[in-house]
Amino acid sequence: MHVELAGRRAVVTGSSQGIGLAIARGLAQAGAAVTVTGRTRSRVEEAADGLREQVPGADVTAVAADLATEEGADTLCEAVPQTDILINNLGIFQARPALEIEDAEWRGYFETNVLSAVRLSRRYLPGMIARGWGRVQNIASDSAVATPVEMIHYGMSKTSLLAVSRGFAKAAAGSGVTVNSVLAGPTHTGGVEDFVHQLVGWSLPWEEAQREFMRLHRPQSLLQRLIEPEEIAHMVVYLSSPQASATTGAAVRVDGGYIDAIVP
């Protein structure tokens, strides 16, 4: 399938590394002008320079802002007043015993993983609706419907994103704008490598640690391996395309068969 996004602009939050960077690369390869974001200017600019090298001729803008705050959302929207594609990828995660999670952490996860997406959707959706075309995707997780005991605050935030996606899809109904969530399974990034070792120990070589993590903590996975960021990006690029115009209000799974449940 050939996806053509020339003439479209995309904003990808949390895109200086990992899944977000892979998504930004995929969208740029499809011809979209891409804005990469992150909190640290040097890392965002480094990511943008890397994309320009990897995708010759790519139109890449770098914006440094803390999108977990209203001020950060304002900074981004001042730099990029409108977009055709919004990928709310920004998120944090960490293993934490359930009874030790304090109020400040609960609030922090909600601000970063949920309200960052709400604020940007609220700002960018009206323009998409007025133009009659747009794509919003919220990067959720299998943890949204199979809450992991080791990080229920993270699971709560991703469950909330499903409701946010469905609700904004209803607000955009009939407009030509689609809003979806992508449920990503455990994905191979630097941060996840640390998370895996945190759970299974630091003495195991990476390949063995990955297998042990899947065996102990994600036994329902049909892949029995971590998903690569590019595999998430392929789905996101498709959902950003004209070919996905009939898919909205959906929770689309890229989870390796981990979820044994019906997602509304």
Side-chain angles (χ1 to χ4, degrees), residues 19 22 28 33 41 43 61 69 77 92 94-95 115 144 162 189 199 203 222 227 235 237 244-245 260:
I19 294 172
R41 180 170 300 281
R43 293 181 65 181
T61 303
T69 67
C77 292
I92 55 175
Q94 185 180 30
L115 281 184
L162 301 188
T189 65
L199 291 179
S203 61
L222 299 181
I227 299 167
M235 179 62 76
V237 171
S245 58
D260 189 13

Side-chain angles (χ1 to χ4, degrees), residues 35-263:
T35 298
V36 295
T37 72
R39 288 181 299 178
T40 307
R41 180 170 300 281
S42 60
R43 293 181 65 181
V44 176
E45 291 178 348
E46 182 181 352
D49 289 341
L51 288 179
R52 295 184 189 104
E53 291 179 8
Q54 295 161 4
V55 187
D59 181 349
V60 183
T61 303
V63 177
D66 182 359
L67 297 178
T69 67
E70 291 187 43
E71 294 78 12
D74 290 340
T75 296
L76 173 58
C77 292
E78 287 171 7
V80 185
Q82 68 178 40
T83 191
D84 303 297
I85 300 166
L86 171 63
I87 311 298
N88 289 309
N89 170 72
L90 176 64
I92 55 175
F93 66 93
Q94 185 180 30
R96 189 91 158 125
L99 298 179
E100 296 180 12
I101 305 170
E102 298 183 351
D103 288 2
E105 281 185 275
W106 283 103
R107 294 189 189 99
Y109 271 72
F110 194 79
E111 286 278 352
T112 302
N113 294 5
V114 183
L115 281 184
S116 64
V118 170
R119 292 188 187 105
L120 293 182
S121 297
R122 197 170 58 218
R123 285 165 165 80
Y124 284 125
L125 260 176
M128 295 181 189
I129 293 170
R131 294 188 297 275
W133 198 95
R135 300 286 186 265
V136 177
Q137 293 176 55
N138 297 312
I139 307 303
S141 165
D142 55 12
S143 298
V145 294
T147 306
V149 67
E150 70 273 7
M151 47 181 186
I152 64 172
H153 50 345
Y154 174 77
M156 170 278 301
S157 70
K158 295 302 182 178
T159 303
S160 298
L161 274 184
L162 301 188
V164 166
S165 301
R166 185 72 177 173
F168 278 122
K170 291 179 179 180
S175 67
V177 177
T178 67
V179 184
N180 294 290
S181 54
V182 175
L183 280 76
T187 304
H188 185 192
T189 65
V192 169
E193 284 195 17
D194 291 342
F195 172 70
V196 167
H197 282 298
Q198 184 182 356
L199 291 179
V200 303
W202 293 89
S203 61
L204 296 175
W206 168 244
E207 289 302 325
E208 188 176 343
Q210 178 180 189
R211 288 194 297 271
E212 188 71 357
F213 168 76
M214 299 304 291
R215 183 181 71 83
L216 294 175
H217 299 280
R218 301 295 185 269
Q220 290 169 286
S221 169
L222 299 181
L223 288 180
Q224 280 299 295
R225 64 167 175 83
L226 295 181
I227 299 167
E228 293 299 323
E230 290 73 20
E231 294 174 306
I232 306 297
H234 294 327
M235 179 62 76
V236 171
V237 171
Y238 165 68
L239 290 173
S240 300
S241 73
Q243 289 93 326
S245 58
T247 303
T248 190
V252 181
R253 292 163 49 171
V254 189
D255 58 33
Y258 171 58
I259 300 172
D260 189 13
I262 296 174
V263 180

